[in-house]
Amino acid sequence: MLGILTVLLSSFVLTFHNVIVRVLFSEHLVLGLFLLGGYVKPDLQNSFLLMFMRMLLVVPLMASLSFKLYPSAWAELQYLFTRNGKDVLIQALGCGVLMFVYIASLYIAIGLIPTGIALTLFFTYPVFTALLSWRFFGDAFGGLRLRPTLFRWLVMAIILVGSALTIPQSSATYSSHTIAIGIFASFGAGIVYAFYCIIAQKCLEKFHPVPFTWIGHEVILEFTNYELRINIKYAFLRYPF
């Protein structure tokens, strides 16, 4: 029951977070009274900016809470830099890179197409997770090394077809080009997240979730910081004062 409640709580928080991202990217009329949002353009650079601002809060907060939630976190982090922990370190850093890619892609999708549709397309990732896990590890279905049954193929097909039916038609608000990029970004984020889940599952067999999560967010902070510094430098070179 505690696990189910945790999943429901995380789903609610994730939904609320993505709605806020949508508001930042697109202006909306709230309760028919006032306009809110549309502060930044929904592109890759601004996605990096939002991720960077998010990580500036999350990384120090997680660093301060990690040792309280898991007192052995520092010992496990030190273990990663030993010869025996090298493989786990590579997996944890790889998951951080994948997290960076799928969050950036999802932000772009949310900025270009309605949030509900973007998340619906993104949440097809369990299909890709199951297929990739079965393909690479043979343990997609309850730890059994079996090929997917006809029923499971049917369920996965229904999920994909149902998601495809939510794709909006082109209109004055959403051009076909914008919709195509949003769809590609949503599905791309789902596929990358599927790879993330597979690698994370293997990594968490040897590494605790608390320091693992902190490493992932630290990788995102470093990537976004590096990208923003490059963009600022380019802006100064292009528009010197």
Side-chain angles (χ1 to χ4, degrees):
M1 182 59 67
L2 180 60
I4 294 175
L5 292 176
T6 303
V7 171
L8 292 176
L9 178 61
S10 63
S11 299
F12 172 78
V13 173
L14 177 62
T15 302
F16 189 68
H17 164 264
N18 290 325
V19 169
I20 294 176
V21 172
R22 175 65 178 179
V23 171
L24 292 173
F25 280 139
S26 179
E27 191 176 56
H28 290 78
L29 183 64
V30 179
L31 301 176
L33 300 176
F34 58 92
L35 292 173
L36 181 68
Y39 304 115
V40 292
K41 183 180 179 181
D43 55 20
L44 188 59
Q45 287 75 20
N46 287 324
S47 296
F48 289 155
L49 176 61
L50 294 181
M51 291 168 63
F52 177 73
M53 296 173 64
R54 174 185 169 188
M55 293 305 117
L56 278 180
L57 174 64
V58 172
V59 172
L61 181 62
M62 288 196 63
S64 62
L65 294 177
S66 294
F67 301 103
K68 296 180 180 179
L69 296 174
Y70 185 60
S72 301
W74 179 247
E76 291 205 11
L77 289 173
Q78 289 179 317
Y79 167 76
L80 295 181
F81 295 94
T82 64
R83 180 178 300 179
N84 295 331
K86 183 178 179 181
D87 291 341
V88 180
L89 176 61
I90 293 174
Q91 290 176 352
L93 293 176
C95 285
V97 174
L98 292 175
M99 187 189 299
F100 167 77
V101 174
Y102 92 74
I103 292 178
S105 300
L106 186 58
Y107 279 8
I108 294 173
I110 291 173
L112 295 178
I113 59 179
T115 308
I117 296 175
L119 293 181
T120 298
L121 299 178
F122 169 73
F123 276 105
T124 57
Y125 76 85
V127 174
F128 305 116
T129 303
L131 293 175
L132 292 171
S133 185
W134 163 64
R135 174 64 179 82
F136 290 105
F137 302 109
D139 59 358
F141 304 105
L144 301 177
R145 295 183 176 275
L146 299 174
R147 291 179 176 272
T149 63
L150 179 61
F151 175 74
R152 286 164 179 159
W153 283 115
L154 180 61
V155 170
M156 289 188 286
I158 291 174
I159 292 174
L160 294 176
V161 171
S163 300
L165 292 176
T166 66
I167 296 175
Q169 301 293 325
S170 59
S171 61
T173 306
Y174 301 102
S175 66
S176 58
H177 178 70
T178 300
I179 293 174
I181 296 176
I183 293 171
F184 178 79
S186 298
F187 274 119
I191 294 173
V192 174
Y193 187 68
F195 278 103
Y196 168 83
C197 290
I198 293 171
I199 299 175
Q201 181 181 3
K202 293 299 178 181
C203 185
L204 291 174
E205 293 175 358
K206 303 178 181 178
F207 197 42
H208 194 274
V210 172
F212 170 81
T213 305
W214 181 82
I215 288 177
H217 286 87
E218 177 64 27
V219 170
I220 295 177
L221 178 61
E222 294 299 326
F223 268 95
T224 52
N225 181 37
Y226 177 75
E227 181 64 28
L228 288 174
R229 284 192 285 112
I230 290 179
N231 290 334
I232 293 173
K233 182 178 179 181
Y234 175 75
F236 273 105
L237 291 175
R238 187 175 181 181
Y239 305 107
F241 293 98

